[in-house]
Amino acid sequence: ATAMARGKMAAGNVNPFNLSDSEDEADQRAEDGVHIEKSPSVGTQGPSSNNPFSPQADAEPPALLVSSTRTSPSVEGISVSVAAAAMTVALAETRVSVDVIAAQLIRDHYILTALEFHTELLESGRELPRLRDYFSNPGNFERQTGTPPACKEQGLGPGGPLRGGVDRAGSISTLDSLDFARYSDDGNRESDERVAVLEFELRKAKETIQALRTNLTQAAESDTQERNKNYSSHPETQEPIRPLEKRALNFLVNEYLLKNEYKLSAITFSDENDDQDFELWDDVGLNIPKPPDLLQIYRNCGSALPSPRNTVDVAVGVESGELTGNYITQKSDLLQQELEYQISLLNEEKQSLADYIKKLQRCVCVCVCVRVCLCAYVGRGWSNGSTLHYPVVHNKQSDCPSILTGMSILIPVHSHIFLSFLVHRKLSPAFQQALLSFCKMSADSRLGAEVSRIADNEESVMLMLGRCLPHIVPNVLLAKREELIPLILCTACLHPEPKERDQLLHILFNLIKRPDDEQRQMILTGCVAFARHVGPTRVEAELLPQCWEQINHKYPERRLLVAEACGALAPYLPKEIRSSLVLSMLQQMLAEDKADMVREAVVKSLAIIMGYIDDPDKYSQGFELMLLSLGDPSERVVSAIHQVFIPAFAAWTTELGNLQTTLIPSLLARIEKLLKQGEHGLDEHKLHMFLSALQSLIPPLFSVVIQNAPFTHRVNLQGDIPPIEVTRFPRPASPLQDIATIVGSRETLSALLILYDYQLEHEGTTGWDSLLWVVNQLLPQLIDIVGRINVASTTCVHEFSRFFWRLCRTFGKIFTNTKVKPQFQEILRLSEENVDALTGNGILTKATVPIYATGVLTCYNQDEDRKLLVGFLEDVMTTLSLSHAPLDSLKASFVELGANPVYHELLLTVLWYGVVHTSALVRCTAARMFELILRGMSEALIDRRVAPALITLCSGPEFSVRISTIPAFGTIMETVTQKELLERVKMQLASFLEDPQYQDQHSLHMEIIRTFGRVGPNAEPRFRDEFVLPHLHKLALGNNVQATESKRIDIATQLFEAYSALSCCCILHPTLTCVFLGVFVSVLAVGVVSAGRQLGLAFQQSDGLVPRPDTPIQLARW
């Protein structure tokens, strides 16, 4: 019945668009192994056609859909065909096949009906290959220029509803199925149709991809089964993981991480495998069934897991006994015929697939051959003199894809022999050789040999780099040579030949002629990386010789590189070499190198050596190196020794237990020896050198004290630990002098400080040996040294003051009040008994007073501390004044404190105490102290407090007190610019000069002349010309009538000194003549010819304004 229906349809319907395929296409189909045969029931045979409207295409059975547009048959199509056939037999004998219905709908252009029919079949699970292929082909829906005759007969021409577009079905539409949108006038009908078609094509493309996955899955599964079989037979040999296996395992691992809340790890794992979608199992590929999760696999690892492929779906139907025999027989015959037909189709498809597999196998064989030949060429190069023979693969009937078709590759095995594969040309080897000789290749030169000899493993690469780098480096720009450092170091690390490694490291140290800071840092970083990689033995044997060769290089940058390299490599050297060879190299460079930056780097490297050295015998050598560096003339070297070397050396001596027993006592002994040798002239530079070293040792000393205290076992770092006050310790010169760094952390230091203060305040120092050494040995020795230094040496006083200030600030206020101050106060008993007025050897006249005042009493600035300082200075001023003792110690205290503006108010308070004192001696002392503190004091403070105090002193009855104020008035003239204040000072000085009661005050005149000579060059020019010089002239004239010769000589001498100071000032001729004429008359009157000669020399210095008198007679005539 099916055959008759098909025959009638084929005979009764003639399609004018029946365009058959060309003969070339038919031949191509035959060549590809795709043969389309008709069913025996089809009466008409014709050429195959790609046109879906042709009767021949319509008459094809549904299973024959292996078209040229598909690369593999559809399993789903076959299964659906079998199901359709079974359904046909089961329903009715005369029922028309669905394939015939579909063909008829397509032939009559009932496209929408066919689409609805196709959709219904899909929803019921019975896909029809004909409809699927028809709607999968976009060419079936392209616009056609003509109108089919059948459409013209039906009145559906260009003016009809379809207007040259896709012919719509002419069936009657119901109200429910009517698409009103396509009959609208908005003109979007064609675009809507196109969108619908594109969506359908997209869905079909996804189905095609899924079908391809299915086919590849079968191949992968078979391969997996074979590997499993091999693994079971040979468990000791396992192949590397395949990409498919890796993706499957990655998916399971990611799923395990997410299930167990390892989200961050899952995110990181997903980022590292960004080429895989972990949300979709199908992305693993090949349509593989998802295995159980990792936990299930682990639990069932001892038992065999059931394979999903071993399970089948079972359906329950009626029993065969319930059906009649006749019905079963008829249905069985029909089912048998249909199945035989399907088997024939499957056999044809099988044959075509077998041919395609053979073709792919031949292509794989060609690829393997190419790879083998290339590997042989790369590995053997041009060295072998034999011919390599490989199987020759010929191309037959388009066995290989077009990309390989007709390709002929020649692999050179020898300089005169070539191997050809994929040969499609029959050329003689001689002809091939002659032909390829026109390719200009050079293997004779060094570079040509390197190019032709490609490395095939790591060792070959290292050998090649070792050969090429010496030729590459000289041709690289100097500014960019640091880019070669990683390459040189990597090659030097991995190269097997020691000689080549030595050459590469030599290139590294000579890479840049004069490396700058950044380039040296790159080289040092590379050296450290090299040392970490190769170990101490190779560093000693390979890197250190390079440093030794450059130790006397003419460029300081290269020597600086050596000095820095010694320190950077110290942690990676053997300890014997570190404490012998490297230490000797650095010692030599420190003593001989002339460049400051090199010696600075040497000091820092020595500090690193001291941080790693463990030979106690090297202590004396380290101490000598410290002294040598402290005496260096360069400030950079001295700064480096304090910041880096001394902290590192102190840390080592602390470990040895020599800090309190050896190091600090050695420095103190050298200071005492220096004081004994310098009774007539102290070497202040050496004193500063030793004292600064002691000052740098204060932080390590305090660390030893608190770390060896009785309370260390009670340190508790748990809970809230209060922070350390910012001003608790002096600012460290470097991080190595920070006590928190020395003890480990600020938390540890804070906990130790709390227990330290409590111990000092409540429990005492019993059993605290380290602190008792400081109290009983260090402090007394230091105070004794202080009492022996020259109080007039401002530098020594300042150095010791700073030392005691840092010592007291570091050890804390409780220690200062209970341990330091009592020892000073015991020595400085403030009474006249402690002052020897005759010899001046009392303790109050020594440097102990200023050092105690400025180094101890100024450590803390609270009210009680300031009151104690004020009281001490008042007592010292009173005691020294009443004892008629030298005031050098008090002056040193005022000079040191006056340098800091913070103490100006405090000093003025002390001086006001002296101003209002009942004793004239104390008032005189106070008046002289004003001169020492006025420099650097604000003019407002001078106007408000100093000037009234001086005027108060001048109003007193004692001439000695008034005379003592003159130097202070002179200093005000020199430092102040305020006119009102200068006028007040001018009036006061004028009263001294013009008041008759001062006419016979020789000491007052001497003090005024001395003051004018001191302040005149720096005073205001108008004040100098109109006040200073005229009054000097008056004093000179008054000196001429002085009856006492000694007084005349004193005045004349002071006038000469005053002129020597004023001679460089720009002074007018009349003024100069008036002043110095009286001076010379005074000189001649006393017969001081030598003074006249001295004055003539002064005239010569005044730019020749007045001719110099050469002889006494000329001088007298002048």
Side-chain angles (χ1 to χ4, degrees):
T2 304
M4 292 175 63
R6 291 177 180 172
K8 290 179 181 180
M9 291 180 183
N13 295 283
V14 179
N15 192 345
F17 297 96
N18 183 12
L19 302 176
S20 62
D21 295 334
S22 63
E23 295 181 359
D24 295 337
E25 294 175 345
D27 295 340
Q28 181 65 30
R29 288 188 179 185
E31 187 175 352
D32 291 341
V34 181
H35 305 285
I36 301 176
E37 296 182 1
K38 302 299 179 181
S39 174
S41 62
V42 180
T44 306
Q45 296 285 344
S48 62
S49 174
N50 284 334
N51 192 341
F53 295 160
S54 64
Q56 288 81 359
D58 296 340
E60 290 176 0
L64 293 177
L65 294 174
V66 187
S67 62
S68 61
T69 61
R70 301 182 59 192
T71 58
S72 64
S74 175
V75 179
E76 297 176 3
I78 297 174
S79 62
V80 171
S81 300
V82 175
M87 181 184 68
T88 304
V89 175
L91 293 178
E93 185 175 351
T94 58
R95 188 173 180 177
V96 180
S97 173
V98 293
D99 185 69
V100 175
I101 297 174
Q104 185 65 29
L105 291 174
I106 293 173
R107 183 167 55 252
D108 292 341
H109 302 289
Y110 298 134
I111 307 301
L112 292 180
T113 303
L115 181 60
E116 292 178 0
F117 184 51
H118 177 57
T119 304
E120 292 176 353
L121 289 175
L122 286 177
E123 292 176 352
S124 63
R126 299 178 298 166
E127 183 181 20
L128 192 60
R130 180 186 297 278
L131 294 177
R132 180 191 61 200
D133 295 342
Y134 178 78
F135 288 110
S136 300
N137 188 2
N140 296 332
F141 303 98
E142 294 179 355
R143 296 176 61 88
Q144 301 180 13
T145 56
T147 303
C151 296
K152 291 181 180 180
E153 294 176 0
Q154 299 174 6
L156 300 175
L162 298 182
R163 297 187 180 184
V166 179
D167 294 342
R168 293 191 176 274
S171 59
I172 300 175
S173 299
T174 62
L175 184 61
D176 296 333
S177 63
L178 186 60
D179 185 5
F180 292 97
R182 67 184 181 188
Y183 295 105
S184 62
D185 296 332
D186 56 0
N188 294 328
R189 183 185 65 185
E190 295 180 359
S191 62
D192 293 341
E193 293 173 353
R194 188 61 179 166
V195 169
V197 171
L198 290 175
E199 291 177 351
F200 183 79
E201 291 176 357
L202 178 62
R203 184 167 64 253
K204 301 309 294 181
K206 291 181 178 179
E207 293 174 359
T208 303
I209 293 172
Q210 191 67 20
L212 293 175
R213 285 176 176 269
T214 303
N215 294 334
L216 293 176
T217 299
Q218 297 174 356
E221 288 177 345
S222 62
D223 187 30
T224 304
Q225 294 175 0
E226 182 179 358
R227 289 201 310 272
N228 293 337
K229 187 180 303 181
N230 294 335
Y231 176 78
S232 61
S233 59
H234 302 284
E236 66 277 6
T237 58
Q238 295 187 10
E239 297 180 357
I241 188 172
R242 303 292 180 89
L244 176 63
E245 297 171 342
K246 180 179 179 182
R247 294 173 69 85
L249 289 175
N250 287 346
F251 187 92
L252 293 177
V253 170
N254 183 74
E255 183 183 47
Y256 168 79
L257 294 175
L258 290 176
K259 284 183 178 180
N260 291 274
E261 299 299 323
Y262 298 112
K263 295 183 179 180
L264 293 179
S265 300
I267 293 173
T268 305
F269 187 76
S270 178
D271 292 339
E272 293 176 349
N273 298 276
D274 55 354
D275 58 340
Q276 186 172 348
D277 184 7
F278 289 101
E279 296 181 359
L280 183 62
W281 168 257
D282 291 337
D283 184 71
V284 174
L286 310 179
N287 199 23
I288 295 177
K290 182 180 177 182
D293 57 9
L294 290 180
L295 179 60
Q296 192 66 23
I297 293 175
Y298 173 78
R299 290 175 176 174
N300 299 329
C301 61
S303 59
L305 295 175
S307 175
R309 295 296 179 179
N310 297 332
T311 61
V312 296
D313 295 332
V314 179
V316 179
V318 297
E319 296 292 338
S320 59
E322 299 178 0
L323 302 176
T324 60
N326 187 18
Y327 178 81
I328 295 175
T329 303
Q330 294 177 356
K331 301 307 178 184
S332 299
D333 293 339
L334 293 175
L335 181 60
Q336 182 179 359
Q337 293 178 3
E338 188 67 26
L339 291 175
E340 290 176 354
Y341 174 69
Q342 297 294 340
I343 289 173
S344 63
L345 295 178
L346 292 173
N347 288 332
E348 294 176 0
E349 187 176 1
K350 177 182 176 182
Q351 183 63 35
S352 63
L353 290 175
D355 296 338
Y356 188 74
I357 290 173
K358 291 180 180 179
K359 180 171 61 176
L360 292 178
Q361 289 176 348
R362 286 192 291 270
C363 294
V364 170
C365 182
V366 171
C367 294
V368 171
C369 183
V370 172
R371 180 179 179 184
V372 170
C373 294
L374 290 175
C375 293
Y377 165 59
V378 170
R380 300 178 61 178
W382 300 85
S383 59
N384 294 336
S386 60
T387 304
L388 298 179
H389 298 281
Y390 294 98
V392 179
V393 181
H394 298 279
N395 186 20
K396 295 181 180 180
Q397 297 181 356
S398 301
D399 289 339
C400 300
S402 58
I403 191 171
L404 294 175
T405 302
M407 178 176 21
S408 178
I409 302 177
L410 300 177
I411 302 298
V413 179
H414 194 270
S415 58
H416 303 292
I417 300 175
F418 295 89
L419 173 69
S420 65
F421 58 92
L422 294 181
V423 179
H424 304 288
R425 301 289 301 278
K426 296 181 179 180
L427 301 177
S428 64
F431 185 84
Q432 290 179 351
Q433 176 184 348
L435 182 62
L436 292 177
S437 64
F438 288 95
C439 298
K440 297 182 179 180
M441 296 180 293
S442 175
D444 298 333
S445 63
R446 178 194 62 81
L447 185 59
E450 294 292 348
V451 172
S452 62
R453 182 171 48 190
I454 303 299
D456 59 348
N457 53 45
E458 295 180 1
E459 184 177 359
S460 301
V461 172
M462 291 299 106
L463 294 173
M464 181 269 294
L465 289 174
R467 294 189 302 268
C468 295
L469 279 175
H471 302 280
I472 295 173
V473 172
N475 298 309
V476 179
L477 294 175
L478 290 175
K480 296 296 181 182
R481 285 191 178 179
E482 63 266 19
E483 301 293 338
L484 294 172
I485 294 176
L487 198 59
I488 295 173
L489 285 169
C490 183
T491 308
C493 285
L494 303 177
H495 203 284
E497 297 295 332
K499 185 177 180 180
E500 295 294 331
R501 295 199 301 266
D502 182 73
Q503 182 182 6
L504 289 170
L505 292 176
H506 180 76
I507 292 174
L508 176 66
F509 275 83
N510 294 273
L511 187 64
I512 303 169
K513 188 176 182 181
R514 306 183 75 164
D516 55 21
D517 292 341
E518 185 176 357
Q519 292 169 338
R520 287 198 309 274
Q521 290 177 7
M522 291 298 103
I523 295 175
L524 291 176
T525 305
C527 290
V528 171
F530 179 88
R532 290 175 179 171
H533 188 273
V534 303
T537 304
R538 283 185 57 182
V539 174
E540 174 190 354
E542 299 176 11
L543 271 183
L544 280 186
Q546 303 299 331
C547 296
W548 184 262
E549 291 178 2
Q550 308 259 345
I551 195 173
N552 293 317
H553 200 277
K554 64 178 181 178
Y555 293 124
E557 291 84 1
R558 299 282 279 275
R559 303 197 301 273
L560 179 60
L561 176 62
V562 173
E564 293 174 341
C566 289
L569 296 175
Y572 309 99
L573 289 169
K575 61 180 182 179
E576 298 82 6
I577 298 299
R578 186 192 302 131
S579 58
S580 58
L581 177 60
V582 179
L583 190 61
S584 300
M585 290 172 57
L586 293 174
Q587 186 175 8
Q588 177 182 346
M589 296 181 71
L590 180 63
E592 299 177 359
D593 205 293
K594 297 180 180 180
D596 295 348
M597 61 179 180
V598 176
R599 296 198 305 275
E600 179 187 10
V602 167
V603 168
K604 293 179 180 179
S605 296
L606 283 171
I608 299 176
I609 295 292
M610 293 301 156
Y612 286 91
I613 199 170
D614 56 358
D615 186 2
D617 297 335
K618 297 296 179 180
Y619 167 79
S620 58
Q621 187 176 359
F623 184 75
E624 295 299 328
L625 288 172
M626 182 185 71
L627 296 180
L628 179 63
S629 303
L630 286 171
D632 195 279
S634 174
E635 294 184 0
R636 297 177 58 177
V637 178
V638 175
S639 177
I641 197 72
H642 288 295
Q643 294 180 5
V644 187
F645 183 87
I646 291 181
F649 186 64
W652 183 37
T653 56
T654 301
E655 294 180 12
L656 298 176
N658 294 340
L659 181 64
Q660 294 179 320
T661 60
T662 306
L663 180 56
I664 295 178
S666 299
L667 292 173
L668 292 174
R670 279 169 170 76
I671 293 176
E672 290 181 340
K673 182 179 179 181
L674 192 64
L675 292 175
K676 291 179 181 179
Q677 295 174 353
E679 293 180 355
H680 303 287
L682 181 63
D683 190 346
E684 295 183 355
H685 175 69
K686 286 188 177 181
L687 179 64
H688 167 72
M689 181 178 73
F690 297 138
L691 198 57
S692 63
L694 276 177
Q695 185 171 318
S696 297
L697 291 174
I698 292 176
L701 177 61
F702 183 71
S703 302
V704 171
V705 169
I706 61 175
Q707 287 180 318
N708 292 277
F711 52 77
T712 52
H713 65 280
R714 292 182 287 164
V715 175
N716 184 14
L717 299 179
Q718 303 298 328
D720 295 335
I721 299 177
I724 304 173
E725 295 182 5
V726 179
T727 58
R728 171 61 181 82
F729 294 102
R731 186 187 300 273
S734 72
L736 295 177
Q737 289 187 350
D738 188 356
I739 301 176
T741 304
I742 298 174
V743 301
S745 66
R746 298 195 68 83
E747 292 76 12
T748 304
L749 178 59
S750 178
L752 288 172
L753 286 177
I754 295 173
L755 297 174
Y756 169 78
D757 292 337
Y758 183 83
Q759 182 81 17
L760 285 177
E761 189 173 4
H762 298 93
E763 299 181 3
T765 59
T766 304
W768 198 345
D769 295 336
S770 57
L771 185 64
L772 289 175
W773 179 87
V774 176
V775 175
N776 298 330
Q777 297 186 37
L778 179 62
L779 283 177
Q781 190 173 2
L782 286 172
I783 294 174
D784 180 66
I785 291 173
V786 165
R788 285 186 285 165
I789 67 173
N790 185 9
V791 69
S793 175
T794 308
T795 303
C796 294
V797 171
H798 177 74
E799 292 293 334
F800 273 99
S801 297
R802 299 308 300 168
F803 173 81
F804 273 97
W805 186 88
R806 296 188 71 90
L807 179 69
C808 294
R809 290 287 301 189
T810 302
F811 278 80
K813 187 173 184 179
I814 298 176
F815 179 85
T816 303
N817 293 334
T818 60
K819 305 300 178 184
V820 180
K821 289 180 180 179
Q823 294 196 30
F824 273 98
Q825 291 170 359
E826 183 180 357
I827 296 174
L828 297 171
R829 289 188 297 269
L830 297 175
S831 64
E832 297 182 11
E833 298 176 356
N834 286 337
V835 180
D836 189 346
L838 297 178
T839 62
N841 291 329
I843 191 65
L844 291 180
T845 62
K846 300 296 183 180
T848 309
V849 171
I851 291 173
Y852 174 63
T854 60
V856 179
L857 298 181
T858 60
C859 288
Y860 300 96
N861 200 25
Q862 296 180 0
D863 292 338
E864 58 272 16
D865 301 311
R866 297 175 68 89
K867 290 179 180 179
L868 183 61
L869 177 60
V870 169
F872 175 75
L873 292 176
E874 291 175 353
D875 294 341
V876 170
M877 182 172 61
T878 302
T879 304
L880 292 177
S881 300
L882 297 177
S883 303
H884 300 278
L887 302 177
D888 293 336
S889 61
L890 185 63
K891 289 181 179 180
S893 302
F894 272 81
V895 169
E896 187 70 20
L897 292 172
N900 190 349
V902 175
Y903 298 107
H904 285 170
E905 289 278 359
L906 184 145
L907 293 176
L908 290 176
T909 302
V910 175
L911 291 179
W912 183 254
Y913 168 81
V915 169
V916 297
H917 200 276
T918 57
S919 174
L921 296 175
V922 177
R923 293 201 301 272
C924 287
T925 302
R928 295 192 178 278
M929 294 300 109
F930 276 107
E931 177 190 1
L932 303 177
I933 65 173
L934 286 175
R935 300 183 186 277
M937 187 177 291
S938 65
E939 294 187 7
L941 194 60
I942 294 174
D943 187 26
R944 190 177 75 252
R945 298 194 61 179
V946 177
L950 292 175
I951 294 174
T952 301
L953 291 173
C954 292
S955 62
E958 297 86 356
F959 283 101
S960 60
V961 176
R962 298 177 185 179
I963 294 172
S964 299
T965 60
I966 293 176
F969 282 120
T971 304
I972 294 176
M973 292 169 51
E974 187 180 8
T975 58
V976 174
T977 59
Q978 187 177 349
K979 293 183 179 181
E980 294 79 1
L981 184 58
L982 288 176
E983 288 296 329
R984 292 166 62 186
V985 174
K986 181 179 178 182
M987 292 174 59
Q988 186 62 45
L989 291 176
S991 66
F992 288 149
L993 294 171
E994 298 174 0
D995 195 336
Q997 62 178 336
Y998 300 116
Q999 293 297 326
D1000 298 331
Q1001 293 295 328
H1002 177 74
S1003 58
L1004 184 143
H1005 295 162
M1006 291 284 293
E1007 192 67 38
I1008 287 180
I1009 296 173
R1010 188 183 301 112
T1011 301
F1012 282 173
R1014 177 173 57 85
V1015 304
N1018 299 322
E1020 186 182 4
R1022 182 180 176 182
F1023 177 79
R1024 180 183 63 237
D1025 295 342
E1026 296 181 359
F1027 183 80
V1028 174
L1029 293 179
H1031 282 91
L1032 286 176
H1033 172 60
K1034 291 181 180 181
L1035 291 172
L1037 293 178
N1039 190 47
N1040 292 336
V1041 297
Q1042 177 62 249
T1044 307
E1045 182 178 357
S1046 60
K1047 292 182 179 180
R1048 283 204 314 270
I1049 295 175
D1050 292 340
I1051 294 295
T1053 304
Q1054 289 298 327
L1055 287 173
F1056 280 127
E1057 292 179 359
Y1059 173 73
S1060 299
L1062 294 170
S1063 61
C1064 296
C1065 301
C1066 182
I1067 304 173
L1068 298 178
H1069 282 253
T1071 305
L1072 185 66
T1073 303
C1074 293
V1075 172
F1076 291 104
L1077 179 60
V1079 173
F1080 280 118
V1081 170
S1082 301
V1083 171
L1084 291 175
V1086 297
V1088 187
V1089 178
S1090 60
R1093 293 176 180 174
Q1094 187 176 6
L1095 181 62
L1097 182 61
F1099 270 101
Q1100 186 179 7
Q1101 295 176 354
S1102 61
D1103 297 333
L1105 297 178
V1106 180
R1108 170 187 172 184
D1110 295 331
T1111 64
I1113 299 176
Q1114 293 178 353
L1115 180 62
R1117 292 176 180 177
W1118 187 86

